[in-house]
Amino acid sequence: MRVGYILLTFTIVFVCMWFFHESTRYKAYYRTSFFSIMVMAALLYTNRVFQFLLEKGVIQSNDVFLTLERMIYYYLIFGIFCAYAFFILCLFDQFQYYPKWKILLFLLPAVIISIMVITSPWTHWIFYVENGVTYKGIFYTFGVLVAMYYGIFGSLHAFRKRKLFPKVFGECVVLVLVLTFIHYINYVITQDEILLSVALLVGIVIYMLALTTVDFYKDTTTNLFNKEAFEQYVKKEIGKGNDKTVYLIKLKNYEYLKENCHEIPLQSTIRELAECIRKYSKLPSIYYLGGGKFTVIVPKHSKFTEEEFLKRLRERFCIPFDVNGASIQLTLFIAIMNLQNGKINRTNFTKYYLACDEMKYRSNDLLEIIHGDNFGIDQLQRYHQVEEAIERALVEHEFKVFYQPIVSTKTKKIVSAEALLRLNDRVLGFISPEEFIPISESNGKIIEISDYVIDSVFRFIKENDLEKLGLDFIEVNLSMIQCMDKKLPDKLKFFLEKYEINPKFVNLEITETATNYDEERLRQQLFDIKKLGFSFSLDDYGTGYSNLVRVLEYPVDMIKLDKSIVWSAFHVQDNYVTMKNLISMFHDVRRKIVAEGVESEEQMQALNELGCDYLQGYYYSKPIVAEDFLRFTARFNA
Ligand code: C2E
Ligand code: CA
Ligand code: CA
């Protein structure tokens, strides 16, 4: 019976160790500390085998031998509880990053007990052996208490944070803790170790299984909690009524870095940034949501001070970061949201958070800080109002498609037009697409809206003879969300068939901000659509982090220079030269150039000289309703 039990526990521990070792995907402190618990448990069970052999007289022993054996035994049985508490702290709090003195203070009782155990043969503090019999020393109870302290401390902590485990494991963890505690009391009273070691074993198995799933809540780059953990947190905690402050921290240069450097240096930069945030905030609840976005949650009663945190961040960000050997000045956007008791529930928080996330950057400061108190509620209200207006417009068919003429520099005739969406709400009045498009992208309405745009434009093409008017095609804006929509090719095909038009009359404008998306899929999608017969333009060239190589990878026939770079060319001589080179470069690779934002005769002339193929802007016409556009074109081209 005894032998069977020993062999069984032994086997289970080793299998667990092997499993855990093999399933380890990356190094993390909590994993290492958990592994050390398993090693200790394995040693304990080895020790048990040894004891068994001694008892059976298979091994002959003397007092020295026995003392050594007991020393290892006590060392392990006390130490394992300390290791357990340490593991729990690393798992939930990133304790390993706490100041050294805190870690030392935490380990101090364990160190004292270790010294007592090791010196016991001489001092008899914990135990001593005489004539083959082991006696307890005067500080034995102290050892038990210290172990209990670690055990209870770790368990309470795990209990408090159990929500970070998937639900079923959270419950198991609680159960295991309760049972272990009962067995421990039983051990103290009856000295029966068997139940305790079984409980230990069950604990290890449960934790190990939980850990392989807890990875689900950890970000591998930063070892911080990830987006899923944040969503869990929001689901459970927000709205519970405790005051807290939420910081949304975004690395503004993220897109740029993603575009211009490899995965590894980007990751190490993110890791460095995570380290800074963790070190300066000294807080345990930091989440990395991906895309250079962090969230820090500060409970009301914490030692965190905003000034100190921001001051240290600012000091760090004054110094350029080293990214793959290059010095790069990084900048942050920080939105601070104070959530007061009861004022904010989960849905509101999500919207509030999104509104902060959607905020346009307004400055080039190293840290651009926005206080939710000052802007948030207004912004949030507006956000809601616009959402409602979008909803109304979809139901009441209030969206209108306007057309802005595009003129060829060669023929001086209108050869195409860009379809631009207009929303005139009966409550809010005119709402710019710059405002409602991003909102509709964040709440998913963009798909419905764009179906409407595509439908209107295709109908327009069907109802009018473009060729007769001298028009080659109509340009339709596609947002990134649409481009990534799997149904897009089928949808386009559907509308082509519905109106029986030739796809050559449609040019799709895509914007180059796709860095957060799966580029391979995007490219594939674009080629699929191209096969249907549509052509593409690359919109807003010069606003993002446009790069020529990327442009060539996409099947675009035209490049639309953004109005901001067109305008800057007329203010700054250098930019004029840059634009000139840009145009000739694009011509070399057989792309046509459209200049946007042409407002004056002078600009028109200069852009002509620079060799732009097409011009678009208020100089010719603002976007106008379809009937006006038709009349305007007929007159202009006559
Ligand atoms: P965009 O695609 O860059 O569109 C060009 C914008 O520049 C339009 O603003 C147009 O009215 C404006 N514009 C054209 N010429 C001039 C000029 O000479 N001077 C000035 N100051 N502005 C000029 P609009 O219509 O407000 O649209 C803003 C943005 O909203 C568009 O930028 C586009 O990104 C988005 N958008 C508009 N309609 C749609 C749509 O149907 N679908 C999608 N996904 N996005 C759309
Ligand atoms: Ca456009
Ligand atoms: Ca544009």
Side-chain angles (χ1 to χ4, degrees):
M1 162 78 191
R2 194 77 196 279
V3 187
Y5 146 76
I6 289 172
L7 289 179
L8 184 68
T9 45
F10 205 67
T11 316
I12 294 177
V13 164
F14 275 98
V15 168
C16 283
M17 274 168 71
W18 179 81
F19 176 81
F20 192 69
H21 186 75
E22 289 303 302
S23 72
T24 301
R25 267 166 281 162
Y26 54 92
K27 246 178 106 68
Y29 275 90
Y30 72 89
R31 289 185 149 274
T32 319
S33 54
F34 187 68
F35 199 72
S36 71
I37 294 180
M38 293 211 272
V39 171
M40 286 171 108
L43 287 174
L44 259 180
Y45 295 121
T46 315
N47 181 279
R48 186 89 9 104
V49 175
F50 200 71
Q51 270 177 37
F52 180 75
L53 295 177
L54 273 179
E55 266 172 40
K56 290 278 172 231
V58 180
I59 305 176
Q60 293 302 317
S61 82
N62 56 36
D63 281 1
V64 178
F65 199 65
L66 208 59
T67 306
L68 201 67
E69 184 270 328
R70 284 286 93 183
M71 204 195 276
I72 294 171
Y73 170 74
Y74 283 114
Y75 188 77
L76 290 173
I77 200 111
F78 294 145
I80 202 164
F81 285 94
C82 175
Y84 165 66
F86 190 76
F87 152 69
I88 293 289
L89 284 174
C90 287
L91 176 63
F92 293 118
D93 275 2
Q94 281 121 19
F95 183 63
Q96 66 275 23
Y97 297 106
Y98 277 39
K100 286 252 159 26
W101 66 267
K102 258 195 179 167
I103 300 180
L104 283 178
L105 198 70
F106 172 80
L107 294 176
L108 192 64
V111 173
I112 293 175
I113 289 296
S114 303
I115 294 173
M116 283 179 156
V117 169
I118 291 167
T119 57
S120 263
W122 301 279
T123 59
H124 294 194
W125 277 342
I126 302 289
F127 72 94
Y128 55 96
V129 179
E130 255 172 35
N131 304 326
V133 184
T134 314
Y135 299 94
K136 294 195 174 79
I138 38 170
F139 287 111
Y140 173 79
T141 322
F142 175 63
V144 173
L145 287 177
V146 167
M148 227 160 142
Y149 158 74
Y150 281 123
I152 292 176
F153 178 87
S155 304
L156 280 182
H157 206 72
F159 182 74
R160 285 216 328 260
K161 304 268 178 160
R162 67 189 180 284
K163 285 187 197 127
L164 281 166
F165 282 119
K167 195 164 181 291
V168 49
F169 284 116
E171 284 158 8
C172 285
V173 163
V174 175
L175 204 66
V176 166
L177 293 178
V178 172
L179 290 178
T180 313
F181 189 70
I182 294 171
H183 296 327
Y184 195 77
I185 302 280
N186 176 52
Y187 165 70
V188 172
I189 298 167
T190 66
Q191 297 296 311
D192 181 2
E193 289 167 16
I194 293 193
L195 283 177
L196 184 63
S197 59
V198 170
L200 184 69
L201 198 63
V202 175
I204 287 177
V205 174
I206 291 289
Y207 265 108
M208 188 193 67
L209 292 177
L211 279 188
T212 32
T213 28
V214 97
D215 281 354
F216 185 63
Y217 292 109
K218 286 257 179 174
D219 173 67
T220 41
T221 309
T222 57
N223 200 18
L224 297 174
F225 296 123
N226 63 10
K227 203 169 171 169
E228 279 76 25
F230 181 62
E231 272 156 19
Q232 283 285 325
Y233 177 84
V234 171
K235 224 194 249 165
K236 287 180 176 147
E237 287 296 316
I238 297 290
K240 274 240 181 98
N242 306 326
D243 290 3
K244 39 188 119 19
T245 310
V246 177
Y247 288 73
L248 169 67
I249 302 175
K250 296 206 274 187
L251 177 63
K252 286 205 222 171
N253 320 55
Y254 183 80
E255 312 277 296
Y256 173 77
L257 293 179
K258 177 113 201 246
E259 187 85 4
N260 290 290
C261 66
H262 292 293
E263 195 62 21
I264 307 276
L266 175 66
Q267 276 185 7
S268 84
T269 308
I270 292 290
R271 209 172 297 135
E272 196 176 342
L273 183 56
E275 203 65 35
C276 287
I277 295 174
R278 182 155 49 199
K279 212 159 82 196
Y280 304 158
S281 72
K282 303 194 199 86
L283 285 167
S285 311
I286 303 172
Y287 299 82
Y288 180 62
L289 312 182
K293 273 193 259 176
F294 295 84
T295 294
V296 179
I297 294 169
V298 187
K300 182 80 177 243
H301 303 289
S302 79
K303 286 194 213 96
F304 173 90
T305 55
E306 191 169 308
E307 296 94 90
E308 169 78 7
F309 176 58
L310 295 179
K311 187 175 138 246
R312 295 194 63 184
L313 268 184
R314 202 170 275 123
E315 277 166 8
R316 175 63 191 91
F317 276 73
C318 284
I319 311 161
F321 280 70
D322 177 47
V323 183
N324 209 15
S327 280
I328 294 186
Q329 187 80 64
L330 297 184
T331 53
L332 291 183
F333 170 85
I334 304 178
I336 305 171
M337 296 165 257
N338 283 313
L339 310 184
Q340 257 129 46
N341 209 344
K343 273 207 183 143
I344 202 131
N345 59 29
R346 203 203 314 162
T347 328
N348 274 343
F349 172 75
T350 313
K351 287 187 175 166
Y352 190 26
Y353 190 88
L354 262 178
C356 287
D357 197 7
E358 295 282 320
M359 283 284 298
K360 286 230 161 64
Y361 306 142
R362 298 171 195 165
S363 78
N364 291 321
D365 300 349
L366 291 179
L367 304 189
E368 180 179 344
I369 297 165
I370 278 153
H371 272 269
D373 306 351
N374 307 341
F375 101 97
I377 297 303
D378 288 356
Q379 197 90 11
L380 183 64
Q381 258 166 12
R382 174 78 186 172
Y383 186 93
H384 286 323
Q385 285 169 346
V386 174
E387 264 192 326
E388 279 168 17
I390 293 171
E391 194 61 41
R392 253 195 311 273
L394 282 172
V395 176
E396 298 169 13
H397 306 288
E398 281 302 326
F399 281 115
K400 291 271 165 328
V401 175
F402 279 40
Y403 294 85
Q404 184 176 33
I406 295 174
V407 175
S408 158
T409 50
K410 222 179 273 143
T411 62
K412 310 274 185 262
K413 295 210 161 142
I414 295 175
V415 288
S416 69
E418 176 173 3
L420 290 157
L421 200 54
R422 290 289 173 265
L423 172 55
N424 219 333
D425 184 60
R426 63 178 145 82
V427 182
L428 300 180
F430 177 78
I431 308 171
S432 160
E434 309 239 25
E435 188 174 13
F436 71 73
I437 294 283
I439 292 178
S440 66
E441 280 178 342
S442 71
N443 70 7
K445 292 283 173 211
I446 185 71
I447 302 291
E448 222 173 309
I449 293 178
S450 68
D451 284 356
Y452 170 78
V453 176
I454 294 171
D455 189 83
S456 307
V457 173
F458 283 25
R459 182 171 342 110
F460 176 81
I461 295 171
K462 167 86 186 165
E463 286 170 357
N464 298 281
D465 189 344
L466 292 201
E467 259 159 2
K468 206 165 143 208
L469 281 160
L471 300 174
D472 297 334
F473 47 72
I474 304 290
E475 299 176 31
V476 178
N477 287 287
L478 282 188
S479 84
M480 252 320 126
I481 309 254
Q482 284 171 267
C483 281
M484 296 303 286
D485 181 8
K486 279 201 191 89
K487 296 195 202 109
L488 183 65
D490 285 339
K491 203 174 274 173
L492 288 168
K493 222 187 292 172
F494 168 81
F495 283 113
L496 275 185
E497 281 158 14
K498 177 173 172 190
Y499 290 109
E500 300 171 297
I501 60 164
N502 188 331
K504 72 169 189 186
F505 290 122
V506 181
N507 178 288
L508 302 167
E509 290 190 8
I510 55 169
T511 325
E512 218 223 353
T513 50
T515 40
N516 267 337
Y517 301 89
D518 179 349
E519 290 187 29
E520 197 39 56
R521 224 190 88 197
L522 176 67
R523 224 183 335 258
Q524 189 54 48
Q525 174 106 311
L526 296 184
F527 278 105
D528 287 348
I529 295 171
K530 182 133 187 123
K531 269 189 229 139
L532 295 176
F534 296 96
S535 60
F536 286 104
S537 304
L538 185 73
D539 201 3
D540 297 342
Y541 190 87
T543 51
Y545 300 101
S546 328
N547 106 22
L548 186 70
V549 182
R550 274 275 301 277
V551 171
L552 298 180
E553 287 174 358
Y554 292 118
V556 295
D557 313 280
M558 292 205 304
I559 312 286
K560 298 192 79 172
L561 302 180
D562 189 70
K563 42 188 179 288
S564 63
I565 73 159
V566 171
W567 293 340
S568 81
F570 296 96
H571 293 303
V572 187
Q573 181 63 30
D574 281 355
N575 292 357
Y576 188 86
V577 178
T578 312
M579 191 150 109
K580 195 174 164 145
N581 292 332
L582 204 63
I583 293 171
S584 79
M585 214 159 59
F586 279 130
H587 278 159
D588 287 346
V589 289
R590 296 170 307 280
R591 303 298 198 272
K592 299 270 191 216
I593 308 282
V594 187
E596 273 184 358
V598 186
E599 293 193 340
S600 65
E601 178 157 4
E602 183 200 350
Q603 287 174 344
M604 181 270 287
Q605 225 114 48
L607 290 162
N608 249 311
E609 278 158 28
L610 279 170
C612 286
D613 303 278
Y614 306 104
L615 303 180
Q616 174 184 1
Y618 294 175
Y619 173 71
Y620 297 106
S621 166
K622 288 197 169 183
I624 42 183
V625 292
E627 300 79 57
D628 291 349
F629 169 70
L630 291 170
R631 238 173 285 137
F632 184 84
T633 306
R635 208 171 342 115
F636 193 95
N637 285 356

